[in-house]
Amino acid sequence: MMVALDLAVPKKSLPELSWLDVPTDVENNLLWRIAVREWAISDVDRQNAIKYWCARDLKLFINGFCWLVEPRDDRVNGRRTDKILPFILWDNQNPACDQLMEHLGLEDIGFDKSRGEGASWCVLMTFLREWLYRPMSSFGLVSRTELAADNPQDPDSLMWKLDFELKQLPGWMVPNYDRNTTRHTLVNLDNGSSITGYSATGDVARGGRKTAFMMDELASFKPGEDQAAMNSTQHVSNCRILVSTPKGPFGVFYEAMKGTNSMKRIRLRWQDNPLRRRGMYVVSDGEVQLRDWKYWRKRAGQPQATQADINKVATQIKDETSNNPFSYAFMISGPFVRDGRERSPWYDAECRRPGATPRAIAQELDLDYSGANAMFFDIALLEKLQRETCVDALYRGDLLFDENPHDLNLKFARRAGGLLEVWIGLTPGNFEPPHDREYGIGADMGAGLAGTMTSNSTLIVSDLRAGEQVAQFASPAVPPEQLAWIAFALGHWFRGPTGPAMICPEANGTWGGSFIKSLRELGYGNIFRRDQDQLGVIARKKSKKYGWWSDKNSKPILLQDFHNALSKGQYKVRSRILLEEAKCYVVGPDQVPIHLDAMTSDDPSGAGGNHGDRVMGGALSWRVAQESGSVRKVKTTDEPVLASDTVGGRFKSRAEEVAQKMKYVWGN
């Protein structure tokens, strides 16, 4: 027979408890726990009063009665520690628990967290507290595998943690319950509440009903399984709690945390963790800013040092005239990593561990979704090129034409908001590009729906001999058939000695096929035909298939060739926004480069969510340059490095001295 717990209001003679009454230092917290247990051990009224207060105060329940398993020792302080610890919420976990309770059961919740911030434990203890005191509640725990959800022998599994917690609670707090490790269920027989463990499948709890789900480490679910689990639980519960560290800028967790939706987001950063932020500092413009003075004063052996003392030492160190004891100078010049970011001794130690990489640190600690994955293009190179080779367009406007393939009547109209940018000088009078050189056009098609997340249709024009971008067209509101007309006109406008420019479109999908079909129906003859080796035939000759075909093998090669051309100076991009898009290409889970739909630069085309379309257009136009055989040869300036103590080195030094003297004598 199911009976609800007696949670009547405690007698007035009993003191009221709240989480503020529980000490937060370990020693006094343990003493408090012992005292409360002894106070209630033989008095049912007191026991029921504690249940009543815990049912209304999650933080009292956790801080006063829950425990943690922590097998790791304290590496930073070099101490071996107890493996079972009282669960005392950190300062940054207190507001997280408040937000969790505010939205539990009502809305989807996302935990954006650094590794090891205790989010899973907080959610599990919340579920356990509800399971104890809220009749007929039902919770689901979803993990990437069945064993990760429930393995009675593994402390890392979710259900094991609940089993452990029930063993630690006072006996009078634990109800009659049934634990089934085959069905992965934990049922409160006194009030009908339940907790069930699931693996990530497409049918997670389908057809059931749940108060809330926890999706643990959702970013680590296999591709497809994350979306399937979200789909199957959407109508099962109003509240899905996503708990994960970043694992690249793709997948359901990334979209949930970075997209526009109703999810309530809770952040748990290592910078807010009181244990990990000890000694926090930032080095900005060469100056050390100590965020934790107490830590560094103690470490330097100067516990009484003041802000004025440190400022004085800092000034003297900068002037290189410091005669102060090392202990003072240590606070300014001590073991600091000078990268301009928030750091701490704990964070520095994590970065120095064997196998630690910038990608791993970004993923596990910094909540950096793009940094959590390998960037495809060299960001430093792109920023260098943006400074050195990118310039504002000489002309901006629209290419006007009649939709008559035999008489286009081409005219260029300058307009401040025009969609065509031109970087090459146009002839006076008729405003046409020079026709003494060959051009190539890379075409990447979008749907042309003009929505805020619609990708651009782009045309990138290149001077094949000079190896540089000369024009760019981009719009999210041009469907493939209309883009074919624009490409047709642009190809004739940029005609060379041998005729209209070669157009290289991406042939994939409905849009690519529609563009090529429309272009051919217009009678445009100079369309790129792909090699037969792209069709699986090992032969270096052309097929009858038009356009470049993108797949998991060809796309990395195309973009890598483009990257190499940029790094060697064989191709110059003039558009800053094109290189900005290139910064958002990352290596996807299948090792194919993909673009982050998160470009924030000012985009006059109106495509708020582009997909790197200018980059693809530029890479395809470079493919035309390679195809034409007119790639400009870049003379290498690399010379062997000659040591100064060698014959060659001395001869070179002498020659340079003579050259300098002659330059001084002749003035040039």
Side-chain angles (χ1 to χ4, degrees), residues 555-593:
K555 186 174 182 180
I557 294 174
L558 177 79
L559 292 179
Q560 187 60 56
D561 285 346
F562 188 51
H563 183 277
N564 291 341
L566 295 177
S567 64
K568 294 177 181 178
Q570 292 177 312
Y571 186 82
K572 288 185 172 61
V573 171
R574 300 306 183 190
S575 168
R576 290 186 180 88
I577 199 170
L578 189 155
L579 294 183
E580 195 67 29
E581 288 184 13
K583 293 179 183 179
C584 296
Y585 269 92
V586 300
V587 179
D590 54 359
Q591 301 306 303
V592 176

Side-chain angles (χ1 to χ4, degrees), residues 212-232:
F213 278 99
M214 179 173 78
M215 306 282 193
D216 191 49
E217 293 299 340
L218 179 63
S220 296
F221 286 18
K222 293 180 180 179
E225 289 185 353
D226 52 357
Q227 186 62 62
M230 292 293 285
N231 290 344
S232 66

Side-chain angles (χ1 to χ4, degrees), residues 620-635:
L620 291 171
S621 70
W622 169 246
R623 183 72 182 84
V624 174
Q626 293 174 296
E627 186 73 20
S628 68
S630 59
V631 176
R632 178 172 55 90
K633 301 296 182 182
V634 178
K635 184 178 180 180

